[in-house]
Amino acid sequence: MALDELNHDSEKRIGISFTEHIAEIQHRLSPAARGELTSLLLHLMMAAKIISRETRKAALVDVLGLTGRTNVQGEKVQKLDEYADDIIIRHLRYTGHLCVMSSEEHEDTIQIPERYALGNYTLTFDPLDGSSNIDANVSIGTIFSIQRRISDGTTGTREDILQRGKNQVCAGYVIYGPGTIMVYTTGHGVHGFTLDPSVGEFLLSHPDIHIPEEGKIYSVNEGNYFNWEAPTRQLVDALKSSNNYRGKPYSGRYIGSLVADFHRNLLYGGIFLYPADSKHPSGKLRLLPEANPLALVVEHAGGLATTGSQRILDIEPRRLHHRVPLIIGSRKDVEFAESFYSKEAEA
Ligand code: AFP
Protein backbone atom coordinates (compact mmCIF):
# COMPACT_ATOMS: atom_id res chain seq x y z
CA MET A 1 0.00 0.00 0.00
CA ALA A 2 1.34 3.43 -0.92
CA LEU A 3 1.87 5.73 2.04
CA ASP A 4 -0.63 8.31 0.81
CA GLU A 5 -3.32 5.60 0.61
CA LEU A 6 -3.35 5.21 4.38
CA ASN A 7 -6.84 6.09 5.57
CA HIS A 8 -7.85 7.77 8.80
CA ASP A 9 -7.88 4.37 10.51
CA SER A 10 -4.19 3.83 9.85
CA GLU A 11 -3.45 4.23 13.57
CA LYS A 12 -5.52 1.09 14.18
CA ARG A 13 -3.52 -1.32 12.00
CA ILE A 14 -2.70 -4.47 13.96
CA GLY A 15 1.01 -4.54 14.68
CA ILE A 16 1.57 -0.78 14.37
CA SER A 17 3.92 0.44 17.10
CA PHE A 18 2.61 2.63 19.90
CA THR A 19 5.02 5.36 18.81
CA GLU A 20 3.59 5.42 15.28
CA HIS A 21 0.00 5.02 16.48
CA ILE A 22 0.18 8.00 18.82
CA ALA A 23 1.93 10.14 16.18
CA GLU A 24 -0.81 9.26 13.63
CA ILE A 25 -3.55 10.17 16.10
CA GLN A 26 -1.91 13.46 16.94
CA HIS A 27 -1.45 14.26 13.26
CA ARG A 28 -5.11 13.49 12.46
CA LEU A 29 -6.86 14.96 15.50
CA SER A 30 -4.60 17.79 16.68
CA PRO A 31 -2.23 18.73 13.87
CA ALA A 32 -1.35 21.98 15.66
CA ALA A 33 -0.46 20.25 18.95
CA ARG A 34 3.14 20.48 20.13
CA GLY A 35 3.28 16.78 20.94
CA GLU A 36 3.62 17.23 24.71
CA LEU A 37 1.13 14.51 25.60
CA THR A 38 2.62 12.21 22.96
CA SER A 39 6.10 12.68 24.36
CA LEU A 40 4.83 12.22 27.93
CA LEU A 41 3.22 8.91 27.01
CA LEU A 42 6.36 7.70 25.26
CA HIS A 43 8.43 8.44 28.37
CA LEU A 44 5.86 6.61 30.49
CA MET A 45 6.06 3.60 28.18
CA MET A 46 9.84 3.61 28.53
CA ALA A 47 9.40 3.35 32.30
CA ALA A 48 6.85 0.55 31.79
CA LYS A 49 9.31 -1.40 29.64
CA ILE A 50 11.92 -1.21 32.38
CA ILE A 51 9.41 -2.30 35.05
CA SER A 52 8.35 -5.15 32.79
CA ARG A 53 11.96 -6.27 32.40
CA GLU A 54 12.55 -6.13 36.15
CA THR A 55 9.35 -8.00 37.05
CA ARG A 56 10.45 -10.77 34.67
CA LYS A 57 13.86 -11.24 36.17
CA ALA A 58 12.81 -10.40 39.75
CA ALA A 59 12.86 -13.97 40.99
CA LEU A 60 16.41 -14.36 39.73
CA VAL A 61 17.92 -11.34 41.40
CA ASP A 62 16.35 -11.35 44.82
CA VAL A 63 14.15 -8.31 44.23
CA LEU A 64 11.16 -10.20 45.51
CA GLY A 65 10.00 -9.91 49.08
CA LEU A 66 9.31 -7.09 51.48
CA THR A 67 11.51 -4.10 52.22
CA GLY A 68 10.47 -4.33 55.87
CA ARG A 69 8.85 -0.87 55.72
CA THR A 70 5.19 0.19 55.47
CA ASN A 71 3.82 2.80 53.05
CA VAL A 72 1.43 5.68 53.79
CA GLN A 73 -1.53 3.29 53.54
CA GLY A 74 -0.06 1.20 56.38
CA GLU A 75 0.63 -1.63 53.94
CA LYS A 76 3.87 -3.58 53.72
CA VAL A 77 6.01 -2.26 50.85
CA GLN A 78 7.40 -4.77 48.39
CA LYS A 79 10.82 -4.10 46.91
CA LEU A 80 9.41 -4.03 43.40
CA ASP A 81 6.83 -1.38 44.38
CA GLU A 82 9.65 0.92 45.40
CA TYR A 83 11.61 0.14 42.29
CA ALA A 84 8.65 0.80 39.97
CA ASP A 85 7.79 4.01 41.82
CA ASP A 86 11.35 5.22 41.50
CA ILE A 87 11.62 4.34 37.80
CA ILE A 88 8.44 6.24 36.91
CA ILE A 89 9.46 9.34 38.84
CA ARG A 90 12.98 9.37 37.41
CA HIS A 91 11.77 8.86 33.81
CA LEU A 92 9.08 11.51 33.96
CA ARG A 93 10.34 14.34 36.15
CA TYR A 94 12.90 15.73 33.68
CA THR A 95 10.65 15.65 30.58
CA GLY A 96 9.33 19.20 30.92
CA HIS A 97 5.78 17.92 30.42
CA LEU A 98 4.67 17.61 34.06
CA CYS A 99 4.01 20.20 36.75
CA VAL A 100 3.44 17.70 39.58
CA MET A 101 3.02 13.96 40.18
CA SER A 102 1.22 11.81 42.72
CA SER A 103 1.87 8.17 43.51
CA GLU A 104 -0.04 5.68 45.58
CA GLU A 105 3.22 5.13 47.44
CA HIS A 106 3.65 8.77 48.56
CA GLU A 107 1.69 10.61 51.19
CA ASP A 108 2.06 13.98 49.48
CA THR A 109 2.47 15.18 45.90
CA ILE A 110 5.82 14.71 44.13
CA GLN A 111 7.24 18.03 42.98
CA ILE A 112 9.33 18.51 39.86
CA PRO A 113 12.88 19.46 40.94
CA GLU A 114 13.73 23.10 40.24
CA ARG A 115 16.44 22.18 37.76
CA TYR A 116 13.81 20.80 35.34
CA ALA A 117 11.20 22.70 33.32
CA LEU A 118 7.54 22.56 34.33
CA GLY A 119 4.92 21.34 31.88
CA ASN A 120 1.17 21.48 31.39
CA TYR A 121 0.19 18.05 32.69
CA THR A 122 -0.08 16.08 35.92
CA LEU A 123 0.57 12.37 36.37
CA THR A 124 -1.10 10.21 39.05
CA PHE A 125 -0.07 6.57 39.22
CA ASP A 126 -0.10 3.34 41.13
CA PRO A 127 3.37 1.99 40.29
CA LEU A 128 2.69 -1.68 40.98
CA ASP A 129 -0.87 -2.59 41.80
CA GLY A 130 -1.57 -6.05 43.19
CA SER A 131 1.90 -6.22 44.66
CA SER A 132 0.91 -8.62 47.45
CA ASN A 133 0.70 -11.19 44.62
CA ILE A 134 4.25 -10.67 43.38
CA ASP A 135 5.84 -13.61 45.15
CA ALA A 136 3.22 -15.96 43.70
CA ASN A 137 4.03 -14.84 40.13
CA VAL A 138 0.50 -13.49 39.61
CA SER A 139 -0.14 -10.68 37.10
CA ILE A 140 0.39 -7.18 38.49
CA GLY A 141 0.17 -3.77 36.87
CA THR A 142 0.89 -0.05 36.68
CA ILE A 143 -2.13 2.28 36.49
CA PHE A 144 -1.83 5.87 35.24
CA SER A 145 -3.94 9.00 34.92
CA ILE A 146 -3.01 12.26 33.17
CA GLN A 147 -4.76 15.61 33.62
CA ARG A 148 -4.16 19.16 32.47
CA ARG A 149 -2.63 21.61 34.88
CA ILE A 150 -5.13 24.11 36.33
CA SER A 151 -2.88 26.20 38.60
CA ASP A 152 -0.60 28.93 37.27
CA GLY A 153 2.05 29.39 39.96
CA THR A 154 5.72 28.49 39.89
CA THR A 155 5.06 24.89 40.98
CA GLY A 156 2.28 22.39 40.40
CA THR A 157 -0.13 22.01 43.32
CA ARG A 158 -2.32 19.48 45.08
CA GLU A 159 -5.32 21.12 43.33
CA ASP A 160 -3.84 20.14 39.98
CA ILE A 161 -4.06 16.53 41.13
CA LEU A 162 -7.38 16.77 42.99
CA GLN A 163 -9.56 17.06 39.87
CA ARG A 164 -12.62 15.05 38.99
CA GLY A 165 -11.96 11.93 36.91
CA LYS A 166 -13.93 13.32 33.97
CA ASN A 167 -11.12 15.88 33.52
CA GLN A 168 -8.57 13.16 32.70
CA VAL A 169 -7.06 13.62 29.25
CA CYS A 170 -5.55 10.16 29.18
CA ALA A 171 -5.64 7.07 31.38
CA GLY A 172 -4.69 3.44 31.20
CA TYR A 173 -2.68 0.62 32.65
CA VAL A 174 0.15 -1.77 31.91
CA ILE A 175 -0.32 -5.38 32.95
CA TYR A 176 2.73 -7.54 33.60
CA GLY A 177 1.47 -11.06 33.01
CA PRO A 178 2.35 -13.87 30.60
CA GLY A 179 2.81 -10.95 28.20
CA THR A 180 3.11 -7.22 28.97
CA ILE A 181 0.05 -5.37 27.69
CA MET A 182 -0.71 -1.65 27.80
CA VAL A 183 -4.29 -0.41 27.45
CA TYR A 184 -5.02 3.30 27.18
CA THR A 185 -7.54 5.90 26.10
CA THR A 186 -7.33 9.59 25.28
CA GLY A 187 -11.05 9.62 24.56
CA HIS A 188 -10.60 8.31 21.01
CA GLY A 189 -11.30 4.65 21.63
CA VAL A 190 -9.59 2.19 23.94
CA HIS A 191 -6.59 0.44 22.46
CA GLY A 192 -4.35 -2.37 23.72
CA PHE A 193 -0.69 -2.92 22.82
CA THR A 194 1.47 -5.94 23.55
CA LEU A 195 5.16 -5.48 24.27
CA ASP A 196 7.32 -7.28 21.73
CA PRO A 197 10.50 -7.85 23.74
CA SER A 198 12.50 -8.64 20.61
CA VAL A 199 12.13 -5.05 19.34
CA GLY A 200 11.35 -3.37 22.67
CA GLU A 201 8.14 -1.79 21.35
CA PHE A 202 4.48 -1.96 22.29
CA LEU A 203 2.63 -3.18 19.16
CA LEU A 204 -1.10 -2.74 18.60
CA SER A 205 -2.81 -6.05 19.42
CA HIS A 206 -6.28 -4.98 20.65
CA PRO A 207 -7.59 -2.02 18.59
CA ASP A 208 -10.87 -0.36 19.59
CA ILE A 209 -11.73 -2.47 22.61
CA HIS A 210 -15.45 -2.63 23.44
CA ILE A 211 -16.50 -4.34 26.64
CA PRO A 212 -19.45 -6.71 26.01
CA GLU A 213 -22.75 -5.11 27.09
CA GLU A 214 -23.35 -7.93 29.54
CA GLY A 215 -20.92 -10.44 30.96
CA LYS A 216 -20.87 -13.84 32.60
CA ILE A 217 -18.29 -13.09 35.28
CA TYR A 218 -18.49 -11.47 38.70
CA SER A 219 -15.29 -10.59 40.56
CA VAL A 220 -15.36 -9.77 44.26
CA ASN A 221 -13.56 -10.83 47.45
CA GLU A 222 -16.38 -12.92 48.85
CA GLY A 223 -14.42 -13.49 52.05
CA ASN A 224 -15.83 -10.09 53.03
CA TYR A 225 -19.44 -11.31 52.69
CA PHE A 226 -20.30 -10.98 56.38
CA ASN A 227 -18.78 -7.48 56.50
CA TRP A 228 -20.89 -6.21 53.60
CA GLU A 229 -23.99 -4.04 53.76
CA ALA A 230 -27.34 -5.61 52.83
CA PRO A 231 -27.48 -4.35 49.19
CA THR A 232 -24.06 -5.83 48.40
CA ARG A 233 -25.00 -9.21 49.89
CA GLN A 234 -28.29 -9.19 47.98
CA LEU A 235 -26.50 -8.24 44.75
CA VAL A 236 -23.87 -10.99 45.05
CA ASP A 237 -26.56 -13.53 46.03
CA ALA A 238 -28.42 -12.53 42.86
CA LEU A 239 -25.33 -12.77 40.66
CA LYS A 240 -24.57 -16.32 41.71
CA SER A 241 -28.16 -17.52 41.48
CA SER A 242 -30.65 -17.35 38.62
CA ASN A 243 -32.26 -14.39 40.33
CA ASN A 244 -30.73 -11.79 38.02
CA TYR A 245 -31.67 -10.19 34.71
CA ARG A 246 -29.84 -12.93 32.77
CA GLY A 247 -31.76 -15.67 34.59
CA LYS A 248 -28.62 -17.75 35.16
CA PRO A 249 -25.67 -17.72 37.57
CA TYR A 250 -22.50 -15.81 36.77
CA SER A 251 -19.06 -17.45 37.13
CA GLY A 252 -16.92 -16.18 39.98
CA ARG A 253 -13.36 -15.08 39.07
CA TYR A 254 -11.20 -13.12 41.53
CA ILE A 255 -7.44 -12.71 41.27
CA GLY A 256 -7.03 -9.99 43.92
CA SER A 257 -4.98 -7.91 41.51
CA LEU A 258 -7.20 -5.08 40.25
CA VAL A 259 -5.53 -4.61 36.88
CA ALA A 260 -5.70 -8.34 36.12
CA ASP A 261 -9.33 -8.67 37.23
CA PHE A 262 -10.29 -5.53 35.31
CA HIS A 263 -8.44 -6.49 32.13
CA ARG A 264 -10.07 -9.94 31.98
CA ASN A 265 -13.54 -8.43 32.47
CA LEU A 266 -12.84 -5.71 29.89
CA LEU A 267 -12.12 -8.36 27.26
CA TYR A 268 -14.67 -11.03 28.27
CA GLY A 269 -17.39 -8.89 29.87
CA GLY A 270 -18.39 -8.94 33.52
CA ILE A 271 -18.47 -6.94 36.70
CA PHE A 272 -15.81 -6.22 39.33
CA LEU A 273 -16.77 -4.96 42.77
CA TYR A 274 -14.84 -3.70 45.75
CA PRO A 275 -17.73 -2.37 47.80
CA ALA A 276 -17.71 -0.66 51.18
CA ASP A 277 -17.68 -3.05 54.14
CA SER A 278 -17.41 -2.77 57.89
CA LYS A 279 -13.58 -2.85 57.68
CA HIS A 280 -13.43 -0.42 54.74
CA PRO A 281 -16.42 1.90 55.27
CA SER A 282 -15.44 4.02 52.24
CA GLY A 283 -14.22 1.09 50.14
CA LYS A 284 -10.61 -0.05 49.84
CA LEU A 285 -9.53 1.23 46.42
CA ARG A 286 -8.18 4.72 45.82
CA LEU A 287 -10.12 7.15 43.65
CA LEU A 288 -7.19 8.93 42.00
CA PRO A 289 -4.65 6.24 41.08
CA GLU A 290 -7.04 3.27 40.70
CA ALA A 291 -10.78 3.96 40.24
CA ASN A 292 -10.59 7.08 38.01
CA PRO A 293 -8.21 5.76 35.34
CA LEU A 294 -10.05 2.44 35.03
CA ALA A 295 -13.38 4.29 34.97
CA LEU A 296 -12.21 6.41 32.03
CA VAL A 297 -11.06 3.30 30.18
CA VAL A 298 -14.27 1.37 30.84
CA GLU A 299 -16.55 4.27 29.86
CA HIS A 300 -14.73 4.76 26.56
CA ALA A 301 -15.05 1.01 25.99
CA GLY A 302 -18.83 1.24 26.49
CA GLY A 303 -19.03 0.14 30.14
CA LEU A 304 -19.77 1.89 33.42
CA ALA A 305 -18.09 2.63 36.75
CA THR A 306 -19.97 3.67 39.87
CA THR A 307 -19.87 3.62 43.66
CA GLY A 308 -23.37 2.13 43.51
CA SER A 309 -24.98 5.54 43.72
CA GLN A 310 -22.56 7.93 41.96
CA ARG A 311 -20.61 7.86 38.72
CA ILE A 312 -16.91 7.48 39.61
CA LEU A 313 -15.79 10.16 37.12
CA ASP A 314 -18.06 12.77 38.79
CA ILE A 315 -16.63 12.39 42.29
CA GLU A 316 -14.79 15.42 43.64
CA PRO A 317 -11.59 14.10 45.28
CA ARG A 318 -11.22 15.34 48.85
CA ARG A 319 -7.65 14.17 49.40
CA LEU A 320 -4.86 12.38 47.52
CA HIS A 321 -5.66 9.01 49.08
CA HIS A 322 -9.45 9.33 48.91
CA ARG A 323 -11.00 5.82 48.80
CA VAL A 324 -14.24 4.83 47.12
CA PRO A 325 -16.44 1.76 46.69
CA LEU A 326 -15.96 0.60 43.10
CA ILE A 327 -18.37 -1.30 40.85
CA ILE A 328 -17.05 -1.44 37.29
CA GLY A 329 -17.61 -3.40 34.11
CA SER A 330 -20.22 -4.26 31.50
CA ARG A 331 -23.01 -1.70 31.18
CA LYS A 332 -25.98 -3.96 31.91
CA ASP A 333 -24.25 -5.69 34.81
CA VAL A 334 -23.32 -2.39 36.46
CA GLU A 335 -26.86 -1.03 35.94
CA PHE A 336 -28.20 -4.22 37.53
CA ALA A 337 -25.84 -3.67 40.50
CA GLU A 338 -26.91 -0.02 40.84
CA SER A 339 -30.56 -1.07 41.14
CA PHE A 340 -29.73 -2.73 44.51
CA TYR A 341 -28.22 0.45 45.95
CA SER A 342 -31.01 2.68 44.65
CA LYS A 343 -33.63 0.35 46.20
CA GLU A 344 -31.83 0.73 49.52
CA ALA A 345 -31.67 4.54 49.13
CA GLU A 346 -35.42 4.68 48.37
CA ALA A 347 -36.21 2.48 51.37
P1 AFP B 1 -2.01 -4.92 46.91
O1 AFP B 1 -1.34 -3.95 45.94
O2 AFP B 1 -1.66 -4.68 48.34
O3 AFP B 1 -1.82 -6.35 46.50
O4 AFP B 1 -3.57 -4.61 46.84
C1 AFP B 1 -4.22 -4.91 45.67
C2 AFP B 1 -5.50 -4.15 45.61
O5 AFP B 1 -5.31 -2.78 45.85
C3 AFP B 1 -6.16 -4.36 44.26
O6 AFP B 1 -5.25 -4.60 43.23
C4 AFP B 1 -7.07 -5.54 44.48
O7 AFP B 1 -8.19 -5.55 43.66
C5 AFP B 1 -7.45 -5.42 45.93
O8 AFP B 1 -6.41 -4.66 46.56
C6 AFP B 1 -7.54 -6.74 46.58
O9 AFP B 1 -7.94 -6.56 47.90
P2 AFP B 1 -8.33 -7.81 48.81
O10 AFP B 1 -7.07 -8.58 49.07
O11 AFP B 1 -8.89 -7.19 50.06
O12 AFP B 1 -9.37 -8.63 48.08
Side-chain angles (χ1 to χ4, degrees), residues 129-132 221 254 256-258 272 274 284-286 290:
D129 181 74
S131 53
S132 60
N221 182 346
Y254 189 70
S257 179
L258 176 62
F272 171 94
Y274 209 114
K284 178 184 175 192
L285 302 175
R286 294 85 174 163
E290 294 177 311

Side-chain angles (χ1 to χ4, degrees), residues 223-239:
N224 293 329
Y225 187 90
F226 292 105
N227 299 330
W228 288 338
E229 296 158 347
T232 308
R233 284 195 213 174
Q234 287 156 8
L235 164 63
V236 173
D237 288 345
L239 291 172

Side-chain angles (χ1 to χ4, degrees), residues 73-148:
Q73 314 288 334
E75 299 155 337
K76 288 176 176 158
V77 177
Q78 305 266 332
K79 285 183 185 171
L80 265 177
D81 295 36
E82 280 191 348
Y83 182 84
D85 188 59
D86 197 50
I87 286 291
I88 294 174
I89 295 170
R90 283 198 287 117
H91 275 79
L92 274 299
R93 66 183 175 184
Y94 72 87
T95 59
H97 304 315
L98 294 175
C99 64
V100 65
M101 287 185 256
S102 169
S103 159
E104 198 225 51
E105 296 294 330
H106 295 245
E107 187 157 13
D108 209 342
T109 52
I110 304 158
Q111 291 301 322
I112 306 300
E114 272 178 22
R115 62 185 184 279
Y116 302 126
L118 284 195
N120 291 319
Y121 292 98
T122 71
L123 174 69
T124 297
F125 60 95
D126 183 347
L128 216 49
D129 181 74
S131 53
S132 60
N133 293 303
I134 291 172
D135 286 352
N137 206 22
V138 168
S139 299
I140 48 183
T142 299
I143 314 178
F144 59 90
S145 157
I146 298 171
Q147 313 197 81
R148 266 201 194 86

Side-chain angles (χ1 to χ4, degrees), residues 28-56:
R28 185 163 65 79
L29 298 173
S30 336
R34 287 176 301 146
E36 248 197 281
L37 182 60
T38 299
S39 172
L40 172 53
L41 284 170
L42 294 177
H43 280 93
L44 190 57
M45 286 313 105
M46 186 61 208
K49 287 176 203 171
I50 295 172
I51 298 169
S52 172
R53 185 193 66 196
E54 293 306 308
T55 52
R56 284 194 184 284

